[in-house]
Amino acid sequence: MTTVVTVGPAKVNLSLEVFPPDASGLHPLRSLVETVSWWDRIAVTAAEADALSIDGPLDPAPDNLVWRALEWHRRASGATVPVAIDLAKRIPVAAGLAGGSADAAATVVALDRLTGAPADRADLGELGADVPFALHGGAAVMEGYGERLTPRPGGGYALVIAVPNTELSTPAVYRRWDELGGPAGPVLDSGALPPAMRDLGPLRNDLYPAAVSLAAELADRAASLADLWSRPVAMSGSGPSLFAYFADLDEAASAAGAVAPSGFRAIRAVVPLPDGARLATDDDR
């Protein structure tokens, strides 16, 4: 029985500018985004009936997006073979790392290969604003509602991502941002950034003030990490994931190992990746 295995990497918002909601009620944005070496794994097998199993933390978003990706693929490709989907969930859920979108993109790649009927990507954004980028990956400027992607050079550094125990709802963070009058986030000191990042203009996350308004402990976590690492700490997406830049993976791994795990769901040293969802290699399995 044929099984296709794919991986979907996490996304980090290196910078996130948010604009007031337009007539659609949605917030346009401009964000520097990059996929990193932290991924979920999807295995899809032809079966007698559709089934989904999940190994790892369960959250409504990931399994909904996997099912929605399956339904979307059937509409877009015309392929209707029943499948069993196994999701190895390694990206923390509800963390601002687009893990659910990574799962959806990895499901689409797997179904393309398994069915031999690649889906038309024109309406991929129906699955969510981050799904087109999760499929494309690498480094890009994301604009609009996530549908406009402009590739840019990436890499040249490593990151440590620390995910606090704090839980934040993305819709709630955007609502609080509106209630606060749409504040701009704090700008990272360019002198503390890796050389590859210094010509990209001011880097900030406009959702940070709203996130700490909802969860004051998030600011305490960021301050403690900045003190420990002696460098600025930023937030990805709507939070609560925090990250900082390091010269290479060895330096990042050392910094990650220095963090006391109490108060964090996950801590990981990662490097930028040149791609998004893709077929897995033996090393990925």
Side-chain angles (χ1 to χ4, degrees), residues 18-22 24-29 144-145 174-175 177-178 207:
V18 180
F19 302 96
D22 58 20
S24 71
L26 300 175
H27 294 78
L29 56 83
Y145 311 118
Y174 273 95
R175 283 195 299 270
W177 187 81
D178 289 335
L207 293 181

Side-chain angles (χ1 to χ4, degrees), residues 1 9 27 33 49 106 114 150 165 182 212 220 236 250:
M1 189 173 296
H27 294 78
V33 290
L114 183 73
T150 304
N165 290 332
V212 299
D220 296 334
S236 178
D250 287 341

Side-chain angles (χ1 to χ4, degrees), residues 204-227:
R204 68 179 200 253
N205 185 333
D206 289 345
L207 293 181
Y208 183 77
V212 299
S213 174
L214 292 170
E217 69 274 13
L218 185 61
D220 296 334
R221 298 287 183 212
S224 67
L225 291 174
D227 183 61

Side-chain angles (χ1 to χ4, degrees), residues 61-161:
D63 65 332
N64 282 349
L65 276 170
V66 169
W67 282 124
R68 285 176 54 200
L70 174 59
E71 294 165 356
W72 176 88
H73 190 277
R74 285 174 173 163
R75 293 194 304 272
S77 71
T80 59
V81 64
V83 293
I85 302 176
D86 296 303
L87 166 60
K89 191 76 189 145
R90 300 296 178 259
I91 302 170
V93 299
L97 298 173
S101 296
D103 298 338
T107 300
V108 169
V109 172
L111 290 169
D112 278 355
R113 175 59 66 93
L114 183 73
T115 64
D120 184 338
R121 303 284 199 263
D123 298 321
L124 186 64
E126 292 178 359
L127 288 173
D130 283 326
V131 177
F133 175 72
L135 189 66
H136 179 275
V141 178
M142 175 190 290
E143 296 178 283
Y145 311 118
E147 79 282 6
R148 298 204 306 271
L149 297 173
T150 304
R152 66 170 185 84
Y157 51 85
L159 300 172
V160 177
I161 302 174

